[in-house]
């Protein structure tokens, strides 16, 4: 990625160029993009395909007021690939408290104890988990659930695969969910806000809890993360939430 900042007529501007293998994307004001494109066409052999509608498996839709980015096509491929696992069923959430409790009650299967059936289950589990991790580019509702599921990828038992398939059903049934970026009307719409949350007493794991944050620029989510954090360094829920922001 390359970017250039400028200040023309007291108006701050930024131009961004994304280069991925043989694809190039220009981001910026229309007049700036047109000038860059003309320079590129003079120097190289390339084709202007117009406004991007797809990029790295993401579908980009535009209106006069917003841009929506989703992975509808990719999720439909997942539904087709694992149709037998999904069995036409949906789910309302990617994970539940019962799922967390049940998975924690069953230990993963050690390598020396695995049967051919266990190895087949492990391969399926890791393939589904890897496919769902790819959805994190546009789904801020998945990191917490996938953080739990990833803990059992070394030797998943039946109950672990059962709940991972539950998450797959949720993703397929909510395939239209994605990111929506709304045009800022003034500088007040560009305020940076950070929301943080953390668990302290609601997790069976006595050593670790989960913490998460999401960052908004105006009304638009621009970054998010969920991770495990040691409980040993905090003394309360309030302290856990403050530590999550660090």
């Amino acid at each position: 990625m390359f970017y250039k900042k400028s200040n023309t007529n007291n108006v701050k501007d930024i131009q961004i160029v994304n280069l991925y293998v043989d694809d190039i994307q220009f981001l910026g004001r229309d007049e700036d993009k047109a000038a860059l494109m003309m320079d590129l066409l003079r120097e190289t052999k390339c084709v202007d395909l117009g406004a991007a509608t797809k990029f790295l498996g993401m579908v980009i839709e535009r209106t006069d007021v917003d841009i929506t980015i989703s992975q509808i096509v990719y999720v439909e491929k997942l539904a087709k690939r694992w149709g037998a696992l999904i069995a036409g069923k949906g789910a309302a959430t990617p994970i539940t408290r019962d799922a967390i409790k049940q998975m924690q009650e069953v230990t993963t299967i050690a390598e020396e104890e695995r049967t051919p059936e266990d190895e087949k289950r492990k391969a399926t589990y890791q393939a589904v988990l890897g496919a769902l991790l790819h959805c994190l580019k546009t789904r801020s509702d998945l990191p917490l659930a996938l953080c739990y599921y990833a803990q059992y990828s070394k030797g998943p038992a039946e109950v672990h695969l059962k709940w991972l398939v539950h998450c797959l059903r949720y993703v397929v049934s909510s395939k239209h969910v994605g990111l929506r970026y709304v045009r800022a009307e003034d500088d007040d719409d560009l305020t940076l806000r950070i929301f943080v949350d953390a668990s302290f007493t609601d997790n069976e794991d006595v050593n670790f809890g989960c913490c998460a944050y999401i960052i908004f620029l105006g009304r638009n989510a621009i970054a998010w993360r969920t991770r495990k954090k040691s409980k040993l360094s905090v003394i309360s829920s309030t302290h856990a939430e403050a530590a999550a922001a660090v």
Side-chain angles (χ1 to χ4, degrees):
M1 184 179 75
F2 304 90
Y3 70 93
K4 176 184 177 183
K5 293 181 178 180
S6 60
N7 193 339
T8 306
N9 297 326
N10 295 322
V11 177
K12 294 182 179 179
D13 191 21
I14 184 170
Q15 302 171 46
I16 301 174
V17 177
N18 279 331
L19 177 61
Y20 183 79
V21 190
D22 59 350
D23 292 329
I24 300 177
Q25 274 190 325
F26 296 99
L27 295 89
R29 295 189 304 172
D30 289 340
E31 54 267 33
D32 296 329
K33 288 188 290 184
L36 280 171
M37 179 59 70
M38 291 301 296
D39 291 340
L40 187 65
L41 289 172
R42 280 195 295 265
E43 299 294 333
T44 63
K45 293 181 180 179
C46 63
V47 179
D48 181 4
L49 299 178
T53 56
K54 294 180 181 179
F55 188 68
L56 298 181
M58 297 179 286
V59 177
I60 305 170
E61 299 175 298
R62 294 176 176 80
T63 68
D64 293 337
V65 296
D66 64 11
I67 296 177
T68 303
I69 304 175
S70 65
Q71 291 173 276
I72 297 175
V73 176
Y74 175 73
V75 173
E76 288 176 345
K77 290 180 180 179
L78 298 187
K80 185 176 180 180
R81 178 179 178 183
W82 283 299
L85 284 177
I86 298 171
K89 298 179 181 179
T93 60
I95 198 167
T96 66
R97 286 185 177 273
D98 285 342
I100 295 172
K101 185 177 181 180
Q102 290 178 25
M103 290 191 295
Q104 289 175 338
E105 289 174 348
V106 180
T107 58
T108 55
I109 303 172
E111 185 175 359
E112 60 273 12
E113 299 175 355
R114 289 180 204 147
T115 64
E117 184 179 349
D118 294 330
E119 291 292 348
K120 182 178 179 180
R121 185 191 311 115
K122 175 187 174 183
T124 301
Y125 190 97
Q126 292 180 345
V128 173
L129 179 63
L132 292 176
L133 287 170
H134 188 67
C135 294
L136 292 177
K137 292 187 294 186
T138 61
R139 300 289 296 261
S140 59
D141 55 338
L142 296 180
L144 175 62
L146 296 184
C147 182
Y148 278 107
Y149 293 126
Q151 298 176 47
Y152 307 102
S153 59
K154 278 192 173 182
E158 284 286 353
V159 67
H160 302 133
L161 180 59
K162 166 192 167 183
W163 284 110
L164 182 63
V165 170
H166 171 92
C167 184
L168 177 61
R169 287 170 174 160
Y170 166 75
V171 171
V172 171
S173 61
S174 60
K175 62 183 180 181
H176 294 285
V177 173
L179 299 173
R180 178 173 179 255
Y181 293 99
V182 182
R183 185 188 299 275
E185 297 182 358
D186 52 50
D187 290 342
D188 291 337
D189 283 347
L190 297 178
T191 303
L192 196 66
R193 298 179 178 87
I194 304 176
F195 298 88
V196 180
D197 198 5
S199 64
F200 181 67
T201 59
D202 60 346
N203 192 338
E204 297 293 332
D205 192 328
V206 297
N207 295 317
F208 292 93
C210 278
C211 62
Y213 66 77
I214 184 166
I215 302 174
F216 282 82
L217 182 61
R219 292 176 287 171
N220 304 314
I222 59 172
W224 54 86
R225 185 183 182 188
T226 301
R227 61 192 175 101
K228 292 176 70 175
K229 193 173 183 69
S230 174
K231 289 183 180 179
L232 304 179
S233 60
V234 296
I235 59 175
S236 67
S237 296
T238 302
H239 189 190
E241 292 178 2
V246 178

